[in-house]
Amino acid sequence: MPKGCPSFRKRTGTEETKRTVHINASHHEHLELLHQHYKGNATSTTKYNVWTFLPKALFEQYRRVANIYFTIVAALSLTPFSPVRAWTTWTPLIIVLGVAMVKEAAEDYKRYKQDKEINNRAVEVMDPATGQYVTKMWKDVRVGDLVVVTKDQQFPADLLFLTSETEEGTCYIETMNLDGETNLKIKKAPDETKDLNQMDFASFKNATIECEGPNARLYQFTGNLLLDGKTLPISPAAILLRGCNLRNTDKVVGAVIYAGHETKIFKNAAPAPSKRSRVERIVDKIIFFMFGLLFSFCIIGAVYFSIWTEKKSPNHWYVGSANATGQYAQYAPGNPAFVGFASFITSFILYGYLIPISLYVSMELVKIAQSMGYINLDRDMYHAETDTPALARTSNLNEELGMVNTILSDKTGTLTRNVMEFFKCSIAGVPYGAGITEIEKANALRKGQVLDDRERPDAAKFRERFFNFYDDRLMGEAWYSAKDPVTIEMFFRLLAVCHTVIPDGPTDEKSIKYEAESPDEAALVVAAKAFGFFFFKRTNTTITVRERTPRGTADVEYEVLNILEFNSTRKRMSVVVKEKANDKIIIFCKGADTVIYERLDPNYAPNEEMKTTTSRDMENFGAAGLRTLCLSYAEVDRDWYTNVWMPEWVNAKTSLEDRENKVGEVSEKIERNLRLLGCTAIEDKLQEGVPDCIRMLALAGIRIWVLTGDKMETAINIGFACSLLTEEMHQFTISVYGVEEIEKAEKAGNKELAEQLSHAAVANSIKTIEETMTSKSEGSRFAIIIDGKALSYALSKDLAAGFLKIGLRCKAVVCCRVSPLQKAQVTKLVRDHGDTTLAIGDGANDVGMIQMAHIGVGISGQEGMQAVMSADFAIAQFRFLVPLLLVHGRYSYKRITRMVLFFFYKNMLFGVTIFVFNAFNAFSGQFIYNDFYMTLFNVVFTALTPVVIGIFDRDVDKAMALKYPGLYMQGQRNEYFNFKAIALWLLSSMYQCCVIMVFVLIGCNSTEVDRDGGNPYTMWQTGVLMYSCVVITVHFQVVQVIEQWSWPYHVAIWLSQIVWWLYLLAYGAFPLYFSSDLYNLFVGIVAPGPQYWLYCLLIPCACQLPDFFARMVKKLVSPFDHTIVAEIQKKLQRAGRSLADERGQEPPSILAGIFSGQANKNRGFVPPYDPRSKFYGLVSSGARNSGRIDTGVRNPVLQHLDQELADNPYRSGRKKGLPGISPNVPMPPPPAVGLAPNPRSKNKLPPLIHGGASSPALAATAAAAPGAIASPGAPALAPPATANPQEREILATYTDALQR
């Protein structure tokens, strides 16, 4: 290596681990070596080029075993042993392969033209030699180049954002090409470069980027910018990725980090996992069976013919085999081995018609028609509000939709709308918010209670998007006189400061908009605004809030020192700020209750009491179906922060190795000794039609597993509200929280013992549940609810089989507090059992689950399009699963399977007639059909009918399929394509072959005549008759099996037979040297004979009679489900009534009135929770162990602090004598939490069995549970004079509850 040459970072395999980029590096003496080491920016997405097209395209076609077979047959047809002319085998093969390869070439040429257009796009690039910007093509851009991108242009490569024309150094980008999201993202340039203009970079010679190697992580970036002796950490918010578009910004300047195929968009271009349907796998087995049958026929023929030639042919002097030489050596009796070999080759070619050459082409055509013509255009799956139709992203799995046994579903955004509203809260142990959620309404109606439906007049004026809260103790200035206004003020301040939200638009309360990572964040900031803490401005390192407090209204500026990001491991998010007015350093922290409780200050007296009351309120909120979040804060010691913690933070943030884990470890040290403020409760409404959809799916025999990150009590109550859980179900709960031995081991720090006990607890629960299920009567319905920690043990190698066994016996399984990895693991567990699984979700955290299942369905919702882009099918609402599965899935399954069975049936019938006739000729290779129309059997004369079956076949109408969802179980049982169904079709073909051979060979004996001229039957005349009978018979078979006639059936059935006779007329008119055996055969000999037309009618009918009688007996004695429904439909049609007439007027659904999509009004009073109630029973508060699910998206606001660290990494003011966080204060042990029984479930099984009565602490907690959600100061409800007795009774109940 030349002296001074840069040492390129080591590559692991082909992956580069680290990279050094010299920006605008013309002075670098080894620039060319750098350019050779890093890939250029030219890209190609084509599969082929001029030289590789033929071999690669042929390789793609010969991945199908059938194509290999037909090529072998075509090659053998060139040998002297072939019984047919070579062109009759090569023609269909060339047509099939040629069409497929032309299609491949056309598609690849489109990709080539698109690549050429992209590579030749123009962009301004800095010329280091002249210091001027020159126009270059994208393909000429290199790593380290400075480029200028203008408004609405795409970024040519992955760039480090250096500056823009805005004062803040920001720009807006659209990432739709990356993740499908259309909302704009904000990006921020480093503070050191944001004020430079584009010409200032001409002298930008000594800047270097040290970063990770190319990788596929779209939302992560680890790197530093070395500039003027400073090491500046680069945030992902400063990275502009190729494929994104610049919006709302005139111009930006960036430095190329990754180019061409090393950019993140190309690193993410890996193909999705290949999925094949169960039907396709069965088709492969049938084809192998047909191959086995073919080889059996060939071996039988070869052995018999070699023996016959050796021992019997010499006795037949007229054959002349004794003197066979040259091309007739294959008939020489003296060489039986060669005779057998030649006979095998002849039979191999002759019996090739057993394998349907057009099967794959027809299946592909039918599946495309089903996807594009039916699924994509179904109005019942069109969502008008978002203008979103259903989309089949692949056509390979249409029939799999009709065989689903288990649905694995996300909750948030899938069952719910992911439209969050701030609904209730608890501050300093006092619950606030008088609203009634959808879940509370549904549960009250199940109990037969009627809730007060009168709206409070003052509530409406406070309602806005993301905020649906009312409590007269907090609204306006009412909280000034509350019991603890200081805590309330700090609670509101945390809502306004602890976030990464970006304000947008005018800075007035009515017009401002917030760009947030999630709807939860936006709801909390809007709530702060409604309470008088209006966040309206954010700069690189500051947040400004207009605070309305008892001291007056003032704009308060907070300096944001650090943001400790949320992820699925931490389950919390923190912000370290400094109040500029008094220089206090405060950390605000919000997250899951379990992680917040573990970090509370044990020496702060109010914490313990507040934790008890807050836990109680969170359970109540969870029972109402609300999403809860704990809020806390602490004052930080300035000296410790500046001299101890901050250096560690800087080192972690600038580390190039394992940066994320190091930052997490440092964050742990400051998130201690917190003071609890309370909790928030946000409502996420159920989607429209979810309860009815789940009920329909349950009636269709589909099990539903819900995998959610919510708390157990929230998931249970939502499960009841959406009909996933019902009163008739025996519910079992598996949890490891609240078990005394486990808690003791955890407190003692004995992690290994705690894990052993937890494992034993889950094993005991699974065993007990299985025993209980076995003891119940047949027909009992079960449901299991399991939390994430218990699930991690249930998925272990020794417990997974037992967990799956009990799970498959349940109608519903709810897995709470699960991570994205656990979702994929559960899906794999069910899939590997053999069940056909369908996974449905809407977010990036559902991608693993979607790709793991047999079928992945993405919902285009509030969390972007990541799930849709990874899915096989995309829909806008969960309720659309009903038409997707019960209509399209069922139809596609039946159509595809019937089409495939018809293919094998007709080919078996045709191929066996050839075999039998050859057997009558001592397996000499003699055939009765002309070789040309033998070739056309699959590709012309019987090609249209199976396609029509695959596209138009239907047993019952759509409305009847939805009215009787039990019909779907036929697909689950695979009734149409199991061994019995396949065997019956093939046996039917064997029987019909026998009938045809007997009738034709006996009725057309060569000693018989069928006309006045006395001419006997010839072999080719007999062949035409037999072929005609085969063509008519296979189409008559279709006439028997179809349930509903339509015009495409008439066209296919009758036109196919007419084409056969037209072919005989046309082909027989060709010259003798071409038409050979068929010359004038049909017109001159076959057609004039009346026996031919008689046999064409008689023989097919004789073939169909047994099948017809068997079907009639089955229909009368033991009909299929669809047969009964079809008869009901026919009866209605004959009576001239519609399905709606037959159903009658259905009463409106109770749930339909609740889940109507309207905003819940803050009205009325919720009756006390009855501890014995089946509907409001709660699980232990210890069953909460996770927070929001991390999607991997990092907010651009976080980058501001990274830039500030470079300028002043240890910024702080003078020390204040404030109580704060000491680095030496040990972490308090996690609090002991008891396991409360679930009163709703009669079969609640604790993980471990303990003797004795329940603990007094638990009893005290239960007794102290709040009875009402309404304001304590609410006046008694006096009935008006005109009130009826029922209204007076209801109001008396409410008044009594208030007094209690």
Side-chain angles (χ1 to χ4, degrees), residues 408-723:
L408 300 105
S409 173
D410 178 38
K411 184 189 75 68
T412 303
T414 304
L415 297 177
T416 60
R417 304 183 187 198
N418 202 20
V419 177
M420 308 300 179
E421 290 182 340
F422 188 94
F423 204 71
K424 294 185 181 182
C425 64
S426 173
I427 309 175
V430 179
Y432 296 96
I436 302 172
T437 67
E438 295 174 339
I439 310 303
E440 289 174 311
K441 294 178 185 178
N443 283 335
L445 284 171
R446 284 196 190 90
K447 295 172 64 177
Q449 295 178 344
V450 180
L451 303 181
D452 183 16
D453 202 32
R454 293 180 296 177
E455 181 179 4
R456 300 193 176 189
D458 296 334
K461 65 181 180 181
F462 294 103
R463 188 177 299 124
E464 62 177 298
R465 188 187 180 199
F466 297 115
F467 188 77
N468 188 21
F469 174 92
Y470 181 76
D471 194 306
D472 52 16
R473 295 171 293 172
L474 287 184
M475 306 313 296
E477 300 178 355
W479 65 271
Y480 295 173
S481 56
K483 181 180 177 181
D484 192 356
V486 176
T487 302
I488 296 176
E489 179 180 334
M490 189 60 74
F491 183 94
F492 294 159
R493 183 171 292 118
L494 186 150
L495 296 181
V497 174
C498 185
H499 56 77
T500 55
V501 175
I502 302 170
D504 189 21
T507 58
D508 62 272
E509 294 189 22
K510 292 184 178 180
S511 304
I512 196 168
K513 295 181 180 179
Y514 294 116
E515 293 287 339
E517 284 184 350
S518 67
D520 302 73
E521 286 250 275
L524 295 178
V525 175
V526 171
K529 180 185 71 172
F531 291 132
F533 285 68
F534 173 37
F535 160 63
F536 64 92
K537 181 181 179 182
R538 181 189 287 277
T539 64
N540 293 353
T541 58
T542 64
I543 280 180
T544 306
V545 179
R546 185 167 299 147
E547 298 184 356
R548 189 172 67 246
T549 66
R551 300 178 297 279
T553 301
D555 291 350
V556 182
E557 186 176 74
Y558 297 91
E559 182 180 358
V560 182
L561 304 178
N562 311 93
I563 295 180
L564 315 182
E565 300 178 59
F566 172 90
N567 60 45
S568 57
T569 303
R570 286 169 38 80
K571 300 172 186 173
R572 63 191 180 279
M573 178 254 188
S574 300
V575 174
V576 182
V577 300
K578 181 172 69 174
E579 295 185 34
K580 291 198 171 182
N582 53 26
D583 281 350
K584 283 184 181 179
I585 296 180
I586 300 177
I587 179 171
F588 291 113
C589 184
K590 63 182 181 183
D593 50 353
T594 50
V595 296
I596 298 296
Y597 288 170
E598 292 172 355
R599 290 160 177 79
L600 294 180
D601 186 355
N603 300 320
Y604 183 63
N607 269 348
E608 195 62 33
E609 180 183 357
M610 198 181 300
K611 185 171 68 173
T612 302
T613 54
T614 302
S615 297
R616 178 198 65 198
D617 294 336
M618 291 186 75
E619 288 196 356
N620 293 338
F621 295 156
L626 300 175
R627 299 160 57 90
T628 56
L629 205 62
C630 261
L631 310 184
S632 60
Y633 81 103
E635 295 181 4
V636 183
D637 182 88
R638 178 182 300 280
D639 237 3
W640 175 80
Y641 173 83
T642 304
N643 300 323
V644 178
W645 188 82
M646 197 61 187
E648 295 182 16
W649 174 259
V650 173
N651 292 334
K653 290 291 286 184
T654 56
S655 173
L656 288 180
E657 296 181 357
D658 200 21
R659 177 182 291 186
E660 187 174 350
N661 288 335
K662 290 179 179 178
V663 169
E665 292 173 2
V666 176
S667 300
E668 285 280 354
K669 297 180 180 180
I670 198 172
E671 294 171 323
R672 297 181 179 181
N673 298 336
L674 302 174
R675 298 179 180 182
L676 185 62
L677 292 172
C679 70
T680 60
I682 293 176
E683 183 181 26
D684 185 10
K685 297 178 183 295
L686 284 174
Q687 287 185 13
E688 180 186 351
V690 167
D692 289 336
C693 173
I694 290 180
R695 179 181 59 82
M696 291 279 285
L697 295 175
L699 291 173
I702 300 175
R703 292 184 294 269
I704 300 178
W705 292 38
V706 173
L707 313 176
T708 177
D710 283 337
K711 298 188 297 296
M712 186 176 284
E713 54 266 31
T714 303
I716 289 174
N717 283 280
I718 288 180
F720 270 96
C722 67
S723 302

Side-chain angles (χ1 to χ4, degrees), residues 137 143 220 375 407 432 463 544 575 613 708 796 835 901 993 1133 1196 1201 1234 1276:
M137 290 185 287
V143 172
Q220 298 177 22
I375 296 177
I407 292 176
Y432 296 96
R463 188 177 299 124
T544 306
V575 174
T613 54
T708 177
S796 61
D835 272 12
L901 287 173
C993 171
Q1133 291 173 346
L1201 299 175

